[in-house]
Amino acid sequence: MIKLEIKKYGSSVLRKKSDLVQKINKDIKCLTEDMLETMYLSRGLGLAAPQIGVSLRICVIDVSPDKKLPLVMVNPKIAYSSNKILGQEGCLSLPEIFASVKRFVNIVAEYTDLDGKNRTIEAESLLARVIQHEIDHLDAKIFVDYLPDWKRKNIEKEIKRRKKKGDW
Ligand code: ZN
């Protein structure tokens, strides 16, 4: 099993807008396999390519309880969204940090699958939240960006403390 290194908050690649994937080839397929393995091994619900240092519009997701429903999205985008709600969120790039973020409950997302086919998915609740979170990564956004200043500053202080301890 391959577990790729996950870039942590503060890494510049997380603040770079990702490029569209032009062609789905063997390299892209291998990359998504490694991403899925890394996500499963890290017990995450989703992982976006910038989180492993690759600035491409790709994300992998699995919110199923037994982790057998992988969703690989290439060039995903939100086509429709409604009903915002607050919900707890975390991120593999910010281990052990959680905060409430407002997201749409219902979305329709468009993406390309690994066969190069254009697909549409209707999602709600947790899956909708994770898709929005991962697409944000492709746009260089991180969930803490939505928090009020004081909350984000507290989180940044906590990260500084952990960095000092070599735990980041
Ligand atoms: Zn994340």
Side-chain angles (χ1 to χ4, degrees):
M1 294 263 249
I2 290 176
K3 191 176 175 188
L4 304 166
E5 188 209 332
I6 296 178
K7 304 288 176 189
K8 299 237 174 82
Y9 185 77
S11 170
S12 61
V13 68
L14 295 176
R15 292 304 192 184
K16 191 173 173 284
K17 218 171 174 269
S18 296
D19 297 320
L20 280 170
V21 174
Q22 301 297 341
K23 195 171 187 276
I24 292 159
N25 54 24
K26 217 173 139 199
D27 288 347
I28 297 288
K29 286 180 188 173
C30 282
L31 177 72
T32 59
E33 268 169 38
D34 291 347
M35 284 173 66
L36 276 169
E37 281 189 6
T38 302
M39 178 187 77
Y40 288 131
L41 290 169
S42 313
R43 296 169 200 277
L45 300 177
L47 184 70
Q51 290 182 278
I52 46 126
V54 177
S55 205
L56 284 174
R57 300 189 77 82
I58 301 171
C59 62
V60 298
I61 292 170
D62 193 340
V63 299
S64 68
D66 51 359
K67 300 291 167 203
K68 281 179 185 157
L69 275 177
L71 173 64
V72 177
M73 304 175 99
V74 177
N75 299 336
K77 58 174 189 244
I78 309 281
Y80 168 85
S81 56
S82 69
N83 300 330
K84 273 195 165 177
I85 192 174
L86 266 178
Q88 185 91 332
E89 224 163 278
C91 179
L92 290 175
S93 294
L94 289 97
E96 288 154 60
I97 286 171
F98 302 93
S100 282
V101 175
K102 252 190 184 171
R103 299 275 190 196
F104 293 108
V105 183
N106 302 91
I107 62 163
V108 174
E110 293 169 350
Y111 65 100
T112 304
D113 70 13
L114 287 179
D115 295 320
K117 287 198 184 112
N118 292 327
R119 299 208 171 255
T120 302
I121 184 171
E122 257 181 70
E124 58 172 16
S125 309
L126 181 62
L127 179 57
R129 178 170 291 275
V130 177
I131 292 173
Q132 290 166 81
H133 177 116
E134 300 312 327
I135 291 179
D136 267 359
H137 275 303
L138 308 181
D139 291 324
K141 258 187 264 166
I142 298 172
F143 78 103
V144 294
D145 298 349
Y146 294 103
L147 302 178
D149 272 357
W150 66 270
K151 250 188 194 170
R152 200 179 49 250
K153 274 180 189 146
N154 277 349
I155 287 174
E156 272 162 7
K157 255 189 231 160
E158 164 70 15
I159 291 171
K160 246 184 215 163
R161 210 175 305 136
R162 284 210 228 156
K163 269 186 183 161
K164 248 187 209 166
K165 284 199 302 179
D167 183 22
W168 193 258

